[in-house]
Structure formats: structure tokens, C-alpha cells
Amino acid sequence: MDVKQILTNAQVVTKDEVFLGTVVVEHGSIVAIDQGLSQVPGGIDCQGDILIPGLVELHTDNLEKYFTPRPGVDWPSRSAVLTHDAQIVASGITTVFDALSLGDINQGRERLRNLQDMVDALNEAEQQSVHRANHYLHLRCEVSYADVLGLFESLLDHPMVHLVSVMDHSPGQRQFVKEEKYREYYQGKFGMTTEELDNFIARQKAASALYSDQYRAQIVARCKERAIPVASHDDATVEHVQESANYGMRIAEFPTTMAAARLSHENGLSVLMGAPNIVRGGSHSGNIAASELAREGVLDILSSDYYPSSLLEGAFRLRHEENAYDLPKAIQTVTSTPAECAGLADRGEIAIGKRADLVWVREHQNHPLIQHVWNGGKRVF
């Protein structure tokens, strides 16, 4: 890596403005930002394109698909992790929280069978410095799952764990307020008969009633002891939001109603929604659209969720829709705001002293085309 790099003739996107200018990087950090072009020989000409901070992704399930690319097909762990990392970087993401599910609605599925392999492979790649993005672990705790506490305790002290969320995917509430959507989703996913699905729904509701409240409280308490940020998930009602606020949660992941999103925002929780929701124009579960939250000014963070390239595309689309999100504010939803919520003060912004995590973007027919990505001043794409 060059000790000093000069990126000039770029539309530099800071937290507050966009200007044609120059960013100087030294030893992996931003050391100078100037309006105007550099005349110093050896500078990188960004050709008038857009320069933004590296994206910060708090919740992606993308890794799972590389471990099990087809039903019944297991992929070698190291290869799966490095391929996932390459796709993450190619999407402009320089900091990623890999969301791993602790518990599932079904026993014995691939995501639980592969859990320890995914953790070990991520940790090994991190220890050997072969990742091109910065990877952290986000533990997704399914609180209606009988054995979730054991899984949680086994990973809580892992050094890569920096975020925890608590969720309950049982039918008739939260993500699946509309039970017909639950039936449509799970019948399609598992190929159940109507009778099998009826029995499945009864079991999920019973497990939720038995475990969810007590497990949610215990997991939040353990995170507080370690100052690990906690996110709520799929809050739908005033009661859900009040519970999350009382627990001191920082992030409201995927609230399913306008009322829950607005109240979360008012209570100081940053509202996170899926970038695919923006790109596709709505929720696949029939819940509130992210664009509606943007029009109300209560959308704080975007996540790529299951489609990495949607993160940058979602942010760029956001500023073209009817709302108050100009380019700096739209970019904040995928950079500085998620970084701050996760307690990462050294990144997410083009500012002097911050990490030189940078993405050079060319806009073509309103679509962001990534030209290059730097992580800590090192070009990784």
C-alpha cells in the first residue's frame, strides 16, 4: 500500500455537502480534504465521479447461501467465506456484520448445522488477514427457539461479536401480523400440506408463548453486562417499541408498521430497513414500505439483508424519491449512522482522522457503478 495517496477531481460526499475536491490519505487514514483539484503529480484522477465513505452493513444473511448453495450441497468453509467477502467488497461494503441465526423455526436445518463452521471460518480468515472487508459477528437470537440460550452463551464472548438482535418469527405477530402471508411463505418454503402447516403454526405459537419473553430479557441483560449493542426486530405495536426502549436497545430492525417506526425514532432507536425493500418498491411480507418511512423522515439505516449490492443501490434510489434525503443524507443511512450505532467511531465518514474506507462510484442512468474500493487506504476492488 502506498504511504500517501491523493484522490482528486472527485465529487466528495461528506456528512453535510457534496463538492468537487481532493482527499489525501496517509497510512490508512484521511489526512486532508480540499475543495478544488490537486496539482501534485501522481494523484488518482477520479474523473469527476462520486467519492463516498465505505459502506457499513449491520445485518446480512449473505454468508449462509455460500455454505449451502443448493439444498443438500455443503461448500468448503474457507472457500465459502472468501467468496462471500469478495461479493461484499464488490458491493462497496468495507465493514460487515455477518448475521448468524441462533435458533430457527425448524430443528436440524442447515443454518444451525453450519453455525460453528461459519464462525470458525470467519475467525480463521480474520486471524490470517485474508479478508478484504472488516468482518464482525451479529448474533440473531430467535427467542422462541427452545435452545437459543445455550447457543447464545457459547458465542457471547467471541471477540468478533459486536451486535446482538432478538427476534420472534412465530405467526400472527411482528413480521407476520398477517397469518396468510406466513402461510404463503412457509408453505412455499417447506412444501407442507395444509394439515402439516396447521400443526406447524400451532407449535410455533406455543413455543413463542413459552420462551420468548423470558429469553428476550435474559439475552438483553447479558449484553448490557458486556456493553454489546442490541437491536429489536420486527416491532409492530406500541407495546413492542416501549419494551425495546425500556431495554435500552439502540436499533429497531425492520419495524413492520408506520406507528412502530415513528415511535422507535422518537424514542431514540435508529430505524433500520431493508435496502431490497427500497429497490423492489415494497415489503415481501406485506408490511410497511421503507419508502413510506423515508417520506416521514424516520428511516435511519439501510441494510442489504439478503442482497449485498442493494445497499448502495438503495441509498442512491432513496435520494431520487419524494422525500428529504439528498445525497449526503442518503449516504449516511449506509455509512455513518450504522457505524455510530455499532460503536465504531473511526469510520463511516469522509473526514480528517477517519479510516480511509472509500468507494469511487460512477452513476450511469441513475445506477451506481462501483469503480474502486479502498479499505483503510488499501485498494481492495
Side-chain angles (χ1 to χ4, degrees):
M1 180 176 68
D2 295 335
V3 172
K4 185 172 184 177
Q5 299 168 88
I6 300 171
L7 284 72
T8 191
N9 192 23
Q11 298 289 334
V12 179
V13 181
T14 69
K15 253 188 165 181
D16 306 311
E17 59 181 337
V18 183
F19 56 83
L20 186 67
T22 300
V23 174
V24 181
V25 172
E26 200 164 336
H27 298 295
S29 298
I30 297 170
V31 297
I33 305 168
D34 299 306
Q35 296 201 19
L37 307 186
S38 171
Q39 303 303 319
V40 176
I44 299 171
D45 183 355
C46 294
Q47 303 172 34
D49 291 334
I50 299 167
L51 191 66
I52 62 174
L55 309 188
V56 178
E57 164 59 88
L58 295 185
H59 180 135
T60 176
D61 311 331
N62 190 57
L63 179 61
E64 289 181 352
K65 72 179 68 169
Y66 287 104
F67 270 74
T68 312
R70 286 186 175 181
V73 174
D74 295 326
W75 201 258
S77 303
R78 183 180 178 84
S79 174
V81 161
L82 295 181
T83 307
H84 159 67
D85 176 65
Q87 187 184 12
I88 288 294
V89 163
S91 301
I93 298 167
T94 50
T95 300
V96 57
F97 285 70
D98 293 304
L100 303 182
S101 294
L102 308 191
D104 204 341
I105 48 112
N106 266 348
Q107 286 277 5
R109 289 187 61 221
E110 292 85 357
R111 60 174 30 172
L112 290 179
R113 183 165 50 79
N114 290 332
L115 176 62
Q116 193 60 52
D117 284 345
M118 288 192 283
V119 173
D120 291 344
L122 281 167
N123 188 58
E124 181 180 307
E126 195 70 12
Q127 294 297 315
Q128 295 176 355
S129 301
V130 292
H131 278 147
R132 286 185 277 180
N134 294 112
H135 288 255
Y136 296 98
L137 288 179
H138 169 171
L139 303 182
R140 303 178 59 206
C141 300
E142 183 66 47
V143 292
S144 62
Y145 184 74
D147 299 326
V148 69
L149 282 185
L151 293 170
F152 172 71
E153 291 290 349
S154 72
L155 291 173
L156 180 59
D157 291 325
H158 195 289
M160 291 181 72
V161 173
H162 280 253
L163 182 62
V164 169
S165 58
V166 285
M167 54 195 65
D168 179 353
H169 285 99
S170 58
Q173 48 99 51
R174 296 183 182 267
Q175 181 180 2
F176 293 103
V177 173
K178 299 171 183 173
E179 193 166 301
E180 68 272 19
K181 283 290 182 183
Y182 187 90
R183 287 179 172 276
E184 177 184 305
Y185 182 81
Y186 284 104
Q187 202 156 27
K189 188 171 185 177
F190 298 124
M192 297 179 188
T193 66
T194 299
E195 183 180 0
E196 288 171 338
L197 185 60
D198 288 343
N199 292 333
F200 178 77
I201 286 174
R203 289 198 302 273
Q204 300 310 313
K205 287 184 175 179
S208 175
L210 187 60
Y211 301 123
S212 287
D213 288 346
Q214 56 169 318
Y215 285 177
R216 181 180 287 106
Q218 291 180 54
I219 289 168
V220 170
R222 297 286 279 147
C223 289
K224 278 186 175 178
E225 291 170 1
R226 288 162 170 73
I228 297 174
V230 184
S232 67
H233 194 88
D234 295 337
D235 284 349
T237 66
V238 169
E239 290 74 21
H240 290 158
V241 176
Q242 287 173 338
E243 179 187 64
S244 300
N246 290 338
Y247 275 139
M249 296 184 187
R250 294 189 192 178
I251 302 165
E253 289 190 332
F254 314 113
T256 60
T257 64
M258 176 63 79
R262 188 183 289 122
L263 190 59
S264 296
H265 190 78
E266 291 171 359
N267 276 275
L269 281 81
S270 293
V271 174
L272 177 153
M273 294 292 282
N277 190 315
I278 292 285
V279 174
R280 295 178 64 253
S283 161
H284 70 273
S285 301
N287 296 316
I288 189 72
S291 58
E292 291 185 43
L293 303 190
R295 278 196 291 277
E296 290 289 317
V298 298
L299 175 61
D300 302 302
I301 299 173
L302 287 177
S303 163
S304 67
D305 200 359
Y306 56 88
Y307 205 96
S309 67
S310 69
L311 195 57
L312 185 58
E313 186 175 354
F316 269 66
R317 285 196 182 205
L318 196 57
R319 54 110 180 209
H320 288 304
E321 297 194 354
E322 191 176 332
N323 57 49
Y325 292 72
D326 57 12
L327 186 57
K329 186 172 180 179
I331 293 301
Q332 284 180 40
T333 66
V334 294
T335 55
S336 58
T337 305
E340 289 163 8
C341 285
L344 300 175
D346 61 342
R347 66 196 73 190
E349 185 182 356
I350 296 181
I352 292 174
K354 298 288 186 180
R355 282 177 59 92
D357 297 347
L358 300 165
V359 184
W360 171 354
V361 182
R362 178 166 298 159
E363 196 164 19
H364 177 69
Q365 297 180 348
N366 291 332
H367 192 97
L369 304 177
I370 295 175
Q371 306 299 298
H372 296 292
V373 178
W374 290 264
N375 186 349
K378 179 181 179 181
R379 185 180 288 183
V380 290
F381 179 81

